Amino acid sequence: YNEYKSYLRFNMSLRVFTVVRRGQYLQFQRCFHKDGNQEEAPYPGVNAHFTNKMRFVLPEDIPTIPVYQVLNKNGKVVTPADDPGFEQDDLVTMYQYMVRTSVMDRILMQSQRQGRISFYMTNFGEEAIQIGSARALKFRDVVFPQYREAGVFLWRGYTPLECMHQCFGTAKDHGKGRQMPVHYTGLKANIQSVSSPLGTQIPQASGYAYALKQRDKGSCVTVFFGEGAASEGKVINHA
């Protein structure tokens, strides 16, 4: 709630977050079971229920798309069958990469605000998605990123220094400084280059996956895209 500069008040008896922003009151109600599992996760403008079942839904079947949940607010797995059973060392390593991505974000975002680089897009709040996905993939599995997958690059061997070279457009950038900042690329990570237009990676990923299927390579293709790209026709045409 850093963007709400006034103050944040939490009423334990009502289980209601009250945020004051420029004289406007915004309430975020969160209901919890006694075991720490959340019943509802209302966000600004929508009240969504949590679910631990991943399935396709149709808009006419439910009023609001539920939020998929694996961990409750206490960090416990809601459904034991969803626990991947990671070793403690593996979890620590994944957390370190998440923190590394966040720290690099702060440095580069401050550099952009100071005018040292022209453009930057952060990964704040998406670190777990990136590192969790990267951990589940094998290196032979190709990735088609959008803008906010720096953590996947780091997990696959990219260094923060290489990211800096790319964002600052130096001669040591794998793209020789010819691209906009955040447009990482490099064969060493087996990740396709980040591109500016929204959604172009979706049909590219579909074509690559079909080629792998034809060759029976035993690999998969992962494509990342956000809400902006989700409104493009490419998503429907290549789903």
Side-chain angles (χ1 to χ4, degrees):
Y1 297 100
N2 291 335
E3 63 183 284
Y4 300 106
K5 299 300 183 181
S6 298
Y7 70 89
L8 174 67
R9 183 180 65 202
F10 180 55
N11 189 318
M12 288 297 293
S13 61
L14 298 178
R15 297 184 177 89
V16 174
F17 288 100
T18 302
V19 180
V20 179
R21 182 186 184 188
R22 297 178 183 176
Q24 297 179 342
Y25 285 83
L26 303 176
Q27 291 189 339
F28 304 92
Q29 183 177 356
R30 289 178 178 248
C31 302
F32 300 105
H33 290 298
K34 293 181 179 180
D35 59 4
N37 294 337
Q38 291 173 261
E39 242 181 0
E40 299 178 354
Y43 298 107
V46 63
N47 291 335
H49 287 269
F50 280 110
T51 181
N52 54 14
K53 296 180 180 180
M54 185 71 74
R55 62 187 180 90
F56 288 100
V57 296
L58 297 176
E60 58 268 23
D61 293 339
I62 53 175
T64 306
I65 297 177
V67 179
Y68 182 65
Q69 180 189 49
V70 176
L71 301 177
N72 63 21
K73 73 182 186 71
N74 296 324
K76 302 297 183 182
V77 178
V78 177
T79 305
D82 292 335
D83 190 346
F86 289 130
E87 297 292 336
Q88 185 68 23
D89 291 344
D90 201 4
L91 292 173
V92 171
T93 299
M94 294 169 68
Y95 185 73
Q96 288 173 339
Y97 274 92
M98 290 171 58
V99 173
R100 187 175 304 169
T101 303
S102 181
V103 171
M104 187 181 76
D105 260 354
R106 288 186 175 88
I107 295 172
L108 287 170
M109 192 61 188
Q110 290 172 2
S111 298
Q112 192 275 332
R113 290 292 187 261
Q114 294 167 7
R116 300 176 187 273
I117 59 178
S118 62
F119 175 82
Y120 190 73
M121 298 191 75
T122 65
N123 303 269
F124 294 143
E126 302 184 22
E127 298 90 342
I129 298 172
Q130 299 172 30
I131 302 304
S133 300
R135 171 61 179 80
L137 297 172
K138 299 185 182 299
F139 184 79
R140 67 172 184 264
D141 299 328
V142 70
V143 174
F144 284 80
Q146 193 169 265
Y147 306 123
R148 306 181 191 275
E149 283 74 50
V152 180
F153 279 90
L154 294 177
W155 182 269
R156 289 202 165 187
Y158 241 67
T159 66
L161 181 59
E162 287 177 295
C163 293
M164 300 290 178
H165 281 308
Q166 197 288 318
C167 289
F168 281 88
T170 72
K172 294 183 179 180
D173 169 32
H174 294 297
K176 304 302 179 185
R178 299 187 182 99
Q179 263 285 20
M180 291 176 62
V182 194
H183 288 53
Y184 308 116
T185 186
L187 292 175
K188 62 177 291 183
N190 197 24
I191 304 177
Q192 298 297 313
S193 176
V194 177
S195 60
S196 295
L198 282 179
T200 54
Q201 71 275 24
I202 299 170
Q204 294 166 0
S206 297
Y208 201 106
Y210 186 73
L212 289 178
K213 181 179 180 180
Q214 293 294 96
R215 297 176 184 177
D216 193 24
K217 293 292 185 179
S219 302
C220 73
V221 176
T222 300
V223 58
F224 291 88
F225 57 92
E227 293 179 354
S231 62
E232 297 282 333
K234 305 178 186 70
V235 175
I236 306 301
N237 295 335
H238 298 272

